[in-house]
Amino acid sequence: MTLNERIEKALADYLPGKDCLEKRLIDSMEYSLLAGGKRIRPLLVLEFCQLCGGSIEDAVPFACAVEMIHTYSLIHDDLPCMDNDDFRRGKPSNHKVYGEDTALLAGDALQALAFKTATSNITQENAYNTARAVNNLAEYCGANGMVGGQIIDLENEGKSSGIDILKKMDKKKTAAIIKSACEMGCIVAGAGDEDIKRARVFGESIGIAFQIQDDILDVTADQSKLGKPVGSDKENEKSTYVSLLGLEECKSLVESLTAKAIDSLSGFKGDSSALKELALSLSNREY
Ligand code: FPP
Ligand code: MG
């Protein structure tokens, strides 16, 4: 099985059974979780764990946990009270199929399922690293991380915010959980502080590059490839890297951040070529 196939299978296995009165909620969670995203964040968990000498099997619960958090954030981000987008991952958004009430709850339940999943293989031996990884994920997805970035985003709609605010926003909204994925992979493998720090630099650099590329694609992409509406930022009157710096400057920023990420891999003892390839492919992505 490829790493992606392992992720897909594990995500399906961690969903609750449907033989209960909550079936519609679980259908709605499944609809978005198994909608075929690129699975970048779980791949990062697995690759960093492998790089630091850990086993894929030990990393799978954390890989699935970060994808569950990411999926909940996409469901909530598409709601009418947020970005109000009707398409995601090439299909109608969750609330377009299940209604806003169920979509809200599906996001909430996916967030809880993430923490249950991350701790599902806890033993006496791995309890310390499991707790550290969960603490890392909670920190990066909460008020000073992804959710914090989202409120900065909402509060800046319709304003001509400067690049400093945008940098802070993207570091939290998008880069924080990408960074968490990288760090958790190392933590689960029992890596030392120096390697965790290198993973943090890698995660933050590709995370910011990822958001800049997202802003570029919102202007240049083909909607059928992207799987979500293009031009959404302009419609929501958002300042983005592209609106502030222009396309060319953005492209060179993506390149320099990717180079910084790749550079941070040189300190690891293991084979980091898969992560280098992943960083390069993200900087050239078209969806
Ligand atoms: C696309 O990921 C997503 C982003 C670039 C992140 C945007 C940030 C949010 C939606 C945070 C929202 C936060 C809250 C609390 C509502 P991707 O291209 O990896 O998507 P994929 O998984 O579908 O491939
Ligand atoms: Mg948004």
Side-chain angles (χ1 to χ4, degrees):
M1 254 199 280
T2 64
L3 292 184
N4 270 86
E5 285 165 353
R6 288 189 77 157
I7 294 162
E8 293 303 327
K9 182 173 182 323
L11 286 172
D13 289 347
Y14 280 122
L15 277 166
K18 292 185 185 175
D19 187 14
C20 55
L21 289 177
E22 308 84 87
K23 179 177 180 307
R24 184 180 161 77
L25 173 73
I26 298 159
D27 280 339
S28 157
M29 294 160 75
E30 178 184 75
Y31 176 80
S32 293
L33 189 65
L34 304 186
K38 296 182 288 295
R39 313 307 194 196
I40 307 299
R41 298 155 189 80
L43 262 180
L44 288 167
V45 178
L46 301 187
E47 292 289 2
F48 269 101
C49 184
Q50 236 173 0
L51 175 59
C52 296
S55 81
I56 292 293
E57 197 162 316
D58 290 345
V60 163
F62 300 89
C64 291
V66 74
E67 187 67 12
M68 288 168 187
I69 296 282
H70 169 58
T71 304
Y72 116 68
S73 83
L74 299 180
I75 297 173
H76 284 189
D77 190 53
D78 290 337
L79 287 169
C81 62
M82 302 256 171
D83 284 355
N84 193 20
D85 280 324
D86 292 352
F87 281 90
R88 174 69 72 173
R89 292 179 164 172
K91 305 202 302 184
S93 303
N94 195 292
H95 67 274
K96 292 306 257 184
V97 178
Y98 292 95
E100 285 177 48
D101 44 9
T102 304
L104 183 76
L105 294 174
D108 292 339
L110 279 168
Q111 175 161 212
L113 184 63
F115 290 101
K116 180 182 172 194
T117 300
T119 50
S120 58
N121 285 354
I122 197 159
T123 61
Q124 289 278 1
E125 289 68 40
N126 68 20
Y128 175 66
N129 287 337
T130 299
R132 285 171 69 209
V134 166
N135 179 271
N136 181 290
L137 182 60
E139 173 68 22
Y140 284 137
C141 76
N144 297 122
M146 181 184 74
V147 178
Q150 182 76 350
I151 193 118
I152 299 174
D153 186 341
L154 294 179
E155 287 181 348
N156 282 285
E157 267 177 31
K159 289 188 196 159
S160 47
S161 318
I163 194 80
D164 288 344
I165 296 211
L166 198 67
K167 275 188 185 159
K168 283 188 184 141
M169 175 180 90
D170 290 344
K171 202 169 139 180
K172 295 186 172 186
K173 184 182 77 169
T174 305
I177 67 162
I178 291 180
K179 199 158 59 169
S180 177
C182 302
E183 290 183 40
M184 281 198 296
C186 299
I187 294 169
V188 171
D193 288 346
E194 288 305 310
D195 278 348
I196 297 173
K197 223 185 277 171
R198 289 182 188 102
R200 189 175 306 144
V201 173
F202 179 92
E204 182 154 309
S205 306
I206 63 157
I208 296 172
F210 193 86
Q211 183 58 54
I212 300 175
Q213 186 67 12
D214 213 67
D215 292 352
I216 294 175
L217 292 173
D218 190 67
V219 176
T220 63
D222 179 337
Q223 177 163 336
S224 62
K225 257 194 201 167
L226 196 60
K228 62 182 181 180
V230 292
S232 172
D233 293 332
K234 197 163 184 203
E235 196 167 305
N236 289 329
E237 297 181 4
K238 291 191 189 221
S239 290
T240 69
Y241 275 88
V242 176
S243 71
L244 292 179
L245 304 176
L247 273 177
E248 287 315 307
E249 171 93 20
C250 285
K251 284 180 191 162
S252 76
L253 262 176
V254 170
E255 275 175 28
S256 58
L257 284 161
T258 304
K260 182 176 174 187
I262 289 171
D263 201 41
S264 75
L265 295 172
S266 63
F268 285 95
K269 289 200 182 67
D271 175 10
S272 58
S273 54
L275 281 163
K276 179 179 172 188
E277 285 312 311
L278 186 59
L280 286 172
S281 73
L282 290 180
S283 71
N284 293 316
R285 74 191 169 99
E286 289 180 11
Y287 61 94

